[in-house]
Amino acid sequence: MIYFITGNKNKLAEVQTVLPEVEQLDIDLPEIQELDAQKIIQAKLIEALNHQQGEFIVEDTSLHLDCLNGLPGPLIKWFLQTIGNQGLAQLAEKLGNDKAEAVTMIGYAKSQNEMQFFEGRIKGRIVNPRGETKFGWDPIFIPEGYDQTFAELGVEKKNMISMRRIALNKLKEFLAANK
């Protein structure tokens, strides 16, 4: 049994489209504040392994703005709580650089000695909010090669091209090769 530690039903649904056997484990793990997503994930996996036995998946999704030298990165939650999507869009506009990169880091662990990390990245740009706000910064991120924000693309289309999907596909390949 592989447990995905999340309280977010949307993330769980996306994970289960790639790994249907994964079950949700909704426990509150402390999250260290760090610019390196792998360190955040590793700390969460260690906490999960201390909580109970099993195989675990945890993830961190971040948004890196070129105009802020990669911030907010894994600190995106705090930027959204303070300045919101509109504030992020205004920053990119005022600083004259709308380039951004969305990154998902997934960690998988069987034990503290058996941890793997899988990363998905998608380049894009920041725009004023467009589309319904259902998921974080989706209304301000347009992935490269598209003219709609993640929010405008809709859940199904977004999930087919997202940074989480890229990371999940890498995890799925690893699991298939190591079972």
Side-chain angles (χ1 to χ4, degrees):
M1 176 66 53
I2 300 175
Y3 295 102
F4 177 42
I5 300 174
T6 185
N8 187 314
K9 299 263 187 237
N10 294 328
K11 286 182 182 181
L12 176 65
E14 188 174 353
V15 167
Q16 288 177 329
T17 63
V18 177
L19 300 167
E21 70 278 11
V22 168
E23 289 196 15
Q24 179 182 20
L25 182 59
D26 189 358
I27 57 174
D28 195 21
L29 297 176
E31 183 172 312
I32 64 170
Q33 298 306 298
E34 167 68 55
L35 291 175
D36 182 342
Q38 187 168 324
K39 288 180 182 175
I40 296 169
I41 295 300
Q42 186 174 17
K44 281 183 165 184
L45 287 170
I46 290 168
E47 282 294 324
L49 290 163
N50 288 336
H51 184 76
Q52 73 180 57
Q53 287 188 310
E55 296 177 50
F56 300 100
I57 299 169
V58 295
E59 67 100 64
D60 185 82
T61 296
S62 52
L63 182 64
H64 302 262
L65 277 64
D66 283 10
C67 65
L68 296 176
N69 294 323
L71 283 173
L75 305 174
I76 183 64
K77 173 183 175 180
W78 309 114
F79 277 65
L80 288 172
Q81 283 183 10
T82 54
I83 64 173
N85 282 323
Q86 187 64 50
L88 286 166
Q90 287 171 345
L91 273 173
E93 186 179 334
K94 285 178 182 168
L95 294 173
N97 184 346
D98 65 0
K99 291 183 178 145
E101 188 171 37
V103 180
T104 294
M105 171 79 65
I106 294 177
Y108 164 78
K110 281 186 175 181
S111 71
Q112 290 193 23
N113 299 324
E114 295 178 85
M115 289 187 194
Q116 300 291 323
F117 302 91
F118 308 91
E119 188 176 75
R121 294 177 169 269
I122 186 166
K123 291 187 181 296
R125 61 190 178 92
I126 301 299
V127 296
N128 281 312
R130 298 184 350 209
E132 200 174 324
T133 304
K134 288 185 179 176
F135 201 74
W137 39 265
D138 282 2
I140 63 168
F141 185 80
I142 295 180
E144 207 169 70
Y146 291 81
D147 58 5
Q148 294 178 300
T149 65
F150 271 167
E152 292 172 310
L153 287 173
V155 173
E156 282 188 33
K157 191 164 189 177
K158 174 203 166 189
N159 289 353
M160 293 304 294
I161 64 163
S162 78
M163 58 285 165
R164 188 174 292 110
R165 173 57 69 101
I166 294 166
L168 282 168
N169 286 341
K170 291 176 183 179
L171 171 59
K172 183 178 182 176
E173 287 176 26
F174 170 82
L175 292 172
N178 290 282
K179 287 288 176 188

